[in-house]
Amino acid sequence: MNTALSWIKAYVPELTCTDQEYCDAMTLTGTKVENFHRLDHNLEKIVVGQIEKIEKHPDADKLIVCQVNIGSEVIQIVTGAPNVKEGDKIPVVLDGGKVAGGHDGGPLPEDGIAIKAGKLRGIPSNGMMCSIEELGSDRNMYPEAPELGIYIFPQETPVGADAVEILGMRDTVFEYEITSNRVDCYSVLGIAREAAATFRKPFHMPVVEVKENGEKVEDYISVEVKDPDLCPRYCARVCTNIKIAPSPEWMQRRLRASGIRPINNLVDITNYVMEEYGQPMHAFDLDTVAGHKIIVRRAKDGDQFQTLDEQVRTLDRDILMICDAEKEIGIAGIMGGENSKITDNVKTVLFEAATFNGPNIRKSAKRLGLRTDASGKFEKGLDPHNAQAAIDRACQLIQELGCGEVVSGMVDVCQPMKEEARIPFEPEKINNLLGTQVSRQEMLSIFQMLEIQYEESSNELIIPTYRQDLECCADMAEEVARFFGYDKIPTTLPNGEATAGKLSFKLRIEQKARDVAEYCGFSQGMSYSFESPKVFDKLLLPADSPLRKTIVIANPLGEDFSVMRTISLNGMLTSLATNYNRRNKDVRLYELGNIYLPRQFPLTELPDERMQLTLGMYGEGDFYTMKGVVEELFEAVGMNSKANYNPDCGKPFLHPGRQAAIEYEGMVVGYLGEVHPLVCRNYDIGARAYVAVIDMPCIVEKSTFNRKYEGIAKYPAVSRDISMVVPRAVLAGQIETVLAQRGGKILESCHLFDIYEGEQIKEGYKSMAYSITFRAKDRTLEESDISAVMKKILNGLEALGIELRQ
């Protein structure tokens, strides 16, 4: 956003400050000034001169000798300009003056170019006539300037006057960085309001009075909005007897300073109002509008439309169009059409000022590859109340500049508009937020400068509709801080009760899982939550597996990232494969990441996001190594009951004979095993790989950090070894369960120290040997105590078909 200081002063006439003071003060109050530059930088001693006499140079065919009246005297200047003649009024740089650049329009030298009196081919020359490029501008900003040659002033220009002032260059242009929530500051009036509040000066809003000709606008145009969700307000006014001419100099100056090239009075008025009010407008030639009717509707997929830049655009149904009774005549909020453009032959103009859906305009402009000044403003979400103010201002300028007559009335198709917001006035809360002692009255004076009204009966602040960024007390505190002065806010300590900062229980469990994994030699990895549906085939999941029921991403980066993962193994196996193919040995990785399980289809609520601890390794280690890591985790988080490992796991991606579901207190909390050879081949892993997946919500539910101290045993332990012939189908876990149940309180531990299958053992059986330790906490055990417990244990083992080995 660029504005000239002179334009700001038109609404804040009492503003007096240097450019640097303005820059610093506005930045401190939140309207950040990125940079500024003076239009008259390096322009010194330049006046309006009039050529009184021209003679040929005696020694040069392309030079002429001019006698130039500069008001106080007549000086002689030698020039090679081809476009001057006697009587012309031109800018003249006097002896000792400066110009900004050269006549070739190249980069401007930092310190300008000094002009001194001298001789050209032997003839004295006491100054220099200037082109517009030498004055630091170009023909885009001054289209009346000749392409090659000296700038010519109008004949009514006074001789001897300050040429830089006449050209409107005694001004400073400021460039602002406006945040997207301050839509009101994308206008000169918005910046002027901020300047008035910053410098505590009165703000004068333009007085708009439209003189109408008595005709009815309904006799000229009708408007129908078919998609009010994309166009909540559409205002239309008509002007007749249009006369195309150059706009006045003051308007051209302000537009030039904002970087807009003046064209003619009609176009300049729409651009001027867009900059002044921040409300883009468009003008149609009413004679080209079929049926004198405007229809606002969505385009049709595949439609072609030629815009004002003479490019043919392909439309889709999400693009809003301005149409007449027969055809499209403009892309709403972006650019008008070639078929309704304003020409020099226009007689009747239809003005449009509307409010469009901001996100829709942004997306449409992006799809069309056509971003304009208008779309840049519309996409931020404009205040619907501003549309009428802007169109009335444009009609006022039409009448005042003699551009045409204004037809009475306005066609206004409008949805219910948002009323002024109300926020409770809470000065104590504002001071607590800021750590200040600003008085109630000072806060109200700040709000009054910002045109925020205070209603004493309800103790509420009434927010103008153009301040869409003010929604709560914290926003009001920010307004107080901006204009009270951030530099005046003292350093204070935060108020409140002292609290002990610590991790939540869930995060402590997850941190413990990281600690255990890293202690066991695993390095942390991280993989994407977005996956490809092809993953399920690589993992050998059956077609009816519930894991294939995924949440599909609406706008994916591609097929490989099109669904939310329901199983965490793909990322881990991909990482193991990468390490294997880069010849890394003995790789151990872990990941803590979510899976996303839909609760139902179609989706009506957020998925069940479950944190999974995924362990993966290849190289040194086997199934029991991975099992040991799992048990280490259970012990670290206080899961003291013994976990069971059920071989009937049923995971198709794991080796059918080397997998187990991890059960704890009747709940399945995860699984582990060796990766199926086919899956390893699918992932290009040429070694045995092992994985374990732990469902962390289940672990958090079963975990505890409560620890009970037990002293060192005072009484001796007694050991018994038993060797058994066990049916092959019986698991070690089943045996250990019997030992724990039958051993009672005196059972301290049991340890499997031998397992054997071979010729000396009968078919279908295996030999297993346990070392069992007994100890009492209050006495020394006697043989009778041990014998009784052993008898119970043997009876329980017999129920499993187990025999003592003879």
Side-chain angles (χ1 to χ4, degrees):
M1 178 72 191
N2 293 354
T3 67
L5 185 58
S6 61
W7 202 347
I8 299 296
K9 288 183 177 179
Y11 312 119
V12 192
E14 297 179 23
L15 181 62
T16 55
C17 60
T18 66
D19 295 341
Q20 191 62 53
E21 287 171 346
Y22 180 88
C23 173
D24 294 342
M26 292 293 283
T27 299
L28 282 174
T29 55
T31 309
K32 182 182 178 183
V33 178
E34 282 286 291
N35 56 63
F36 64 90
H37 71 276
R38 287 201 61 84
L39 298 179
D40 60 357
H41 182 59
N42 289 329
L43 300 181
E44 299 177 9
K45 298 179 70 175
I46 305 176
V47 300
V48 176
Q50 183 170 23
I51 302 174
E52 295 188 345
K53 186 177 181 182
I54 296 178
E55 297 177 338
K56 293 190 63 177
H57 194 290
D59 295 323
D61 293 338
K62 294 185 178 180
L63 296 178
I64 55 176
V65 181
C66 301
Q67 304 301 318
V68 181
N69 180 7
I70 60 170
S72 58
E73 60 178 316
V74 176
I75 62 173
Q76 180 171 284
I77 297 177
V78 179
T79 181
N83 67 313
V84 294
K85 63 183 182 301
E86 292 180 357
D88 282 348
K89 293 182 178 180
I90 39 82
V92 176
V93 189
L94 304 180
D95 181 24
K98 274 186 179 181
V99 291
H103 66 278
D104 58 357
L108 301 180
E110 185 176 348
D111 297 325
I113 299 173
I115 303 300
K116 294 182 179 179
K119 293 184 177 181
L120 285 179
R121 301 290 291 268
I123 301 297
S125 182
N126 297 311
M128 187 182 81
M129 303 178 191
C130 301
S131 67
I132 199 64
E133 289 77 17
E134 287 164 332
L135 295 174
S137 189
D138 55 45
R139 294 184 68 246
N140 285 328
M141 294 296 104
Y142 293 86
E144 74 277 11
E147 185 173 357
L148 296 171
I150 304 302
Y151 184 84
I152 309 296
F153 286 111
Q155 279 301 307
E156 63 270 16
T157 308
V159 175
D162 183 349
V164 178
E165 177 69 29
I166 296 295
L167 288 168
M169 292 184 175
R170 295 290 184 206
D171 207 350
T172 305
V173 175
F174 292 87
E175 179 184 349
Y176 306 88
E177 179 185 326
I178 307 298
T179 54
S180 58
N181 66 323
R182 288 302 306 273
V183 182
D184 58 303
C185 285
Y186 284 89
S187 67
V188 178
L189 288 175
I191 298 291
R193 282 194 191 95
E194 291 288 306
T198 298
F199 292 95
R200 305 295 199 274
K201 302 295 183 183
F203 170 70
H204 298 275
M205 189 75 177
V207 178
V208 178
E209 294 180 357
V210 183
K211 295 182 179 179
E212 302 172 335
N213 65 5
E215 297 181 273
K216 294 182 178 180
V217 71
E218 292 81 5
D219 296 336
Y220 284 86
I221 192 69
S222 62
V223 176
E224 178 185 1
V225 178
K226 291 188 175 181
D227 292 282
D229 57 319
L230 300 183
C231 179
R233 188 175 195 185
Y234 191 98
C235 300
R237 296 201 68 159
V238 174
C239 296
T240 60
N241 299 323
I242 296 297
K243 302 176 183 65
I244 300 296
S247 53
E249 187 61 33
W250 62 267
M251 180 177 285
Q252 293 190 36
R253 288 182 184 179
R254 292 178 179 180
L255 291 175
R256 289 184 192 119
S258 298
I260 298 176
R261 182 171 66 92
I263 297 175
N264 59 49
N265 50 5
L266 188 58
V267 175
D268 292 351
I269 285 171
T270 60
N271 287 332
Y272 183 87
V273 173
M274 180 176 70
E275 292 299 304
E276 185 179 40
Y277 279 76
Q279 171 68 51
M281 296 180 57
H282 191 69
F284 297 100
D285 185 343
L286 187 59
D287 293 333
T288 65
V289 177
H292 285 194
K293 182 175 184 178
I294 292 292
I295 301 173
V296 184
R297 61 167 176 80
R298 295 173 184 265
K300 298 176 182 177
D301 288 331
D303 279 358
Q304 302 284 316
F305 181 70
Q306 186 175 16
T307 47
L308 280 171
D309 57 1
E310 299 182 355
Q311 298 292 315
V312 176
R313 314 281 177 177
T314 301
L315 310 175
D316 61 61
R317 70 174 308 276
D318 290 325
I319 295 175
L320 190 66
M321 300 298 294
I322 309 299
C323 310
D324 60 19
E326 299 175 356
K327 61 188 180 300
E328 296 94 347
I329 57 175
I331 303 177
I334 301 177
M335 186 177 283
E338 180 72 15
N339 56 8
S340 62
K341 69 179 181 180
I342 298 294
T343 65
D344 291 344
N345 299 321
V346 64
K347 297 301 180 185
T348 306
V349 165
L350 168 67
F351 275 125
E352 162 197 285
T355 305
F356 301 114
N357 179 278
N360 175 263
I361 295 297
R362 181 182 63 82
K363 293 175 183 178
S364 298
K366 186 176 181 180
R367 288 198 302 276
L368 291 170
L370 181 62
R371 196 171 189 272
T372 60
D373 289 341
S375 69
K377 287 181 166 61
F378 276 121
E379 67 188 23
K380 294 173 177 63
L382 300 183
D383 175 17
H385 293 83
N386 197 36
Q388 181 174 355
I391 202 169
D392 285 346
R393 175 63 164 163
C395 290
Q396 177 196 33
L397 292 172
I398 287 285
Q399 190 272 326
E400 287 184 354
L401 302 185
C403 185
E405 298 179 8
V406 181
V407 174
S408 299
M410 177 182 73
V411 177
D412 187 5
V413 180
C414 182
Q415 298 298 303
M417 291 187 289
K418 184 178 179 181
E419 297 300 323
E420 295 172 322
R422 289 174 172 261
I423 298 175
F425 180 43
E426 303 171 291
E428 291 183 5
K429 187 174 181 181
I430 290 174
N431 277 323
N432 288 336
L433 280 171
L434 299 178
T436 56
Q437 297 292 329
V438 182
S439 69
R440 174 190 181 94
Q441 197 57 41
E442 187 171 356
M443 289 185 190
L444 288 175
S445 69
I446 290 172
F447 296 146
Q448 184 179 6
M449 289 187 306
L450 296 171
E451 301 184 9
I452 298 171
Q453 300 176 27
Y454 173 62
E455 187 178 83
E456 190 170 0
S457 60
S458 62
N459 192 38
E460 289 180 321
L461 298 169
I462 304 174
I463 311 302
T465 57
Y466 58 79
R467 287 302 304 271
Q468 301 178 34
D469 59 308
L470 302 181
E471 298 177 344
C472 61
C473 182
D475 295 328
M476 306 315 299
E478 182 183 5
E479 297 303 292
V480 171
R482 289 200 300 134
F483 295 101
F484 173 72
Y486 291 113
D487 54 327
K488 297 179 184 177
I489 297 178
T491 301
T492 58
L493 293 174
N495 295 325
E497 299 178 358
T499 57
K502 64 178 183 179
L503 295 175
S504 66
F505 183 76
K506 172 179 176 292
L507 294 179
R508 289 172 65 195
I509 298 297
E510 292 175 6
Q511 185 58 52
K512 187 64 71 174
R514 292 187 186 92
D515 293 343
V516 169
E518 291 169 7
Y519 171 78
C520 294
F522 288 76
S523 299
Q524 185 171 13
M526 186 177 294
S527 57
Y528 290 113
S529 297
F530 301 162
E531 289 187 335
S532 167
K534 299 176 182 177
V535 164
F536 305 123
D537 293 333
K538 294 177 70 174
L539 292 173
L540 308 181
L541 290 175
D544 59 349
S545 172
L547 295 178
R548 288 182 178 265
K549 296 178 180 179
T550 59
I551 298 171
V552 180
I553 298 168
N555 188 22
L557 297 174
E559 186 183 5
D560 290 342
F561 303 95
S562 60
V563 299
M564 302 296 289
R565 66 181 177 184
T566 56
I567 184 170
S568 60
L569 281 184
N570 177 65
M572 177 59 66
L573 293 177
T574 301
S575 298
L576 291 177
T578 300
N579 280 274
Y580 179 81
N581 289 296
R582 292 181 180 175
R583 303 184 184 280
N584 293 327
K585 297 181 179 180
D586 302 327
V587 172
R588 295 186 178 191
L589 300 174
Y590 79 94
E591 178 187 10
L592 274 167
N594 286 335
I595 59 172
Y596 304 85
L597 305 176
R599 302 179 192 274
Q600 63 181 15
F601 286 101
L603 291 174
T604 57
E605 56 182 325
L606 293 175
D608 183 13
E609 298 185 29
R610 302 191 69 83
M611 178 69 71
Q612 307 287 290
L613 171 63
T614 308
L615 302 162
M617 69 178 190
Y618 67 81
E620 184 178 353
D622 57 15
F623 177 94
Y624 297 101
T625 305
M626 187 67 81
K627 179 172 174 282
V629 176
V630 173
E631 292 181 342
E632 186 82 22
L633 170 63
F634 289 175
E635 182 179 352
V637 297
M639 295 171 61
N640 297 319
S641 301
K642 191 171 184 62
N644 293 322
Y645 297 86
N646 185 353
D648 297 328
C649 183
K651 302 296 182 184
F653 42 80
L654 297 180
H655 193 293
R658 299 167 189 164
Q659 60 176 281
I662 307 170
E663 299 175 352
Y664 186 83
E665 296 183 353
M667 178 188 294
V668 177
V669 298
Y671 57 86
L672 79 159
E674 179 182 332
V675 180
H676 197 290
L678 290 179
V679 175
C680 282
R681 193 179 307 161
N682 290 340
Y683 282 91
D684 199 18
I685 302 174
R688 287 187 174 185
Y690 300 89
V691 295
V693 177
I694 307 296
D695 188 52
M696 293 305 293
C698 294
I699 300 301
V700 171
E701 180 182 337
K702 299 293 184 180
S703 298
T704 179
F705 286 114
N706 295 330
R707 298 289 189 268
K708 184 177 180 182
Y709 171 76
E710 293 185 1
I712 299 174
K714 298 179 181 179
Y715 301 97
V718 179
S719 295
R720 292 286 187 272
D721 292 344
I722 56 173
S723 181
M724 304 166 287
V725 178
V726 181
R728 190 175 294 173
V730 176
L731 304 176
Q734 295 175 270
I735 296 174
E736 291 169 7
T737 299
V738 170
L739 295 178
Q741 291 173 348
R742 303 277 175 138
K745 293 182 179 180
I746 65 173
L747 178 68
E748 185 175 75
S749 65
C750 61
H751 172 63
L752 175 67
F753 66 86
D754 182 62
I755 184 168
Y756 171 74
E757 293 183 51
E759 295 179 357
Q760 300 178 10
I761 306 300
K762 59 184 178 180
E763 185 71 23
Y765 285 78
K766 57 189 174 183
S767 172
M768 300 179 71
Y770 274 88
S771 176
I772 307 174
T773 302
F774 300 98
R775 191 195 305 266
K777 295 180 180 181
D778 56 351
R779 61 190 173 87
T780 299
L781 293 174
E782 297 180 357
E783 180 62 30
S784 60
D785 297 323
I786 305 300
S787 298
V789 171
M790 286 300 298
K791 184 176 181 180
K792 290 181 181 180
I793 290 174
L794 294 175
N795 289 338
L797 295 175
E798 286 179 5
L800 296 177
I802 297 173
E803 305 171 1
L804 287 179
R805 187 174 178 185
Q806 302 299 326

